[in-house]
Amino acid sequence: MAAVQDAILEELRRLRARVPQLTGALAADTDGLVLAQDTPGVDPQTVAALTGTTRAYAAQLADETGQGDLRELLVRGVYGYVATYAAGAGAVVTLLAQDRVNVGRLHLEGRRAGARIAELVDTAATATTSATEPTEPTEALTKAPAKPAPARARAARTSRAKPVDTRAAATAPTAARTTTES
């Protein structure tokens, strides 16, 4: 597991090098326990615990509103951003960034790092599971399927034609008749 933590830490450091406005990066499991961190000046255990709790609420919100599985969460404060990205089913990546960060770049790099860390965590979980697997087959536990997304009704579109100004037509001068006297 130490090799995986080192690999995750290296990924977080590379991420901070790619996005200079990052002030911290942390990977945690979904229970809020630190996997690896590079967060100078911030208590990583507190951030990981808050990330785990916030992720749970955000995932529930996404599920209840029919938006599917949680992918990311962005909080903007007066001094900067806290961005959390799903890293597979068992981990999250939380990034701390200055207010002047390019949010598009933050999302791009955060998603990429989340995918890489997910691979590392999944590889470690697979290795741990295969090492501790019982010799007799056991009944697999299955997760209940997520709620189906509610059907979304679309409102009828209204015409975008410009309204006709009837006042202008009513007050427009009529063509004057000219008569010629002979």
Side-chain angles (χ1 to χ4, degrees):
M1 188 65 173
V4 173
Q5 287 177 335
D6 291 342
I8 293 172
L9 182 58
E10 184 58 33
E11 179 59 36
L12 294 177
R13 288 183 177 151
R14 283 194 304 262
L15 174 63
R16 287 196 60 196
R18 288 190 306 269
V19 184
Q21 294 81 20
L22 288 182
T23 58
L26 174 134
D29 66 11
T30 54
D31 293 329
L33 300 174
V34 176
L35 297 175
Q37 59 89 19
D38 184 13
T39 56
V42 178
D43 179 28
Q45 283 77 22
T46 301
V47 173
L50 289 169
T51 295
T53 302
T54 306
R55 186 213 58 84
Y57 283 125
Q60 184 178 0
L61 177 64
D63 186 49
E64 287 296 323
T65 57
Q67 304 306 316
D69 292 336
L70 177 71
R71 291 189 179 178
E72 57 198 46
L73 176 67
L74 181 68
V75 177
R76 183 176 184 201
V78 174
Y79 303 114
Y81 295 89
V82 178
T84 300
Y85 302 92
V92 291
V93 175
T94 297
L95 306 177
L96 310 175
Q98 298 170 352
D99 189 44
R100 61 189 178 95
V101 71
N102 178 324
V103 177
R105 178 77 186 269
L106 177 69
H107 284 320
L108 176 71
E109 296 295 344
R111 291 171 188 151
R112 286 180 180 170
R116 287 187 200 104
I117 291 171
E119 290 173 3
L120 293 169
V121 170
D122 290 346
T123 301
T126 303
T128 303
T129 303
S130 63
T132 61
E133 213 170 74
T135 55
E136 295 180 22
T138 60
E139 188 175 313
L141 297 176
T142 57
K143 182 180 175 186
K147 287 184 182 179
R152 296 181 186 209
R154 294 184 72 162
R157 284 192 165 179
T158 58
S159 173
R160 293 186 185 211
K162 291 184 180 179
V164 176
D165 188 2
T166 56
R167 290 177 296 146
T171 60
T174 57
R177 293 185 186 184
T178 57
T179 57
T180 56
E181 295 183 25
S182 343

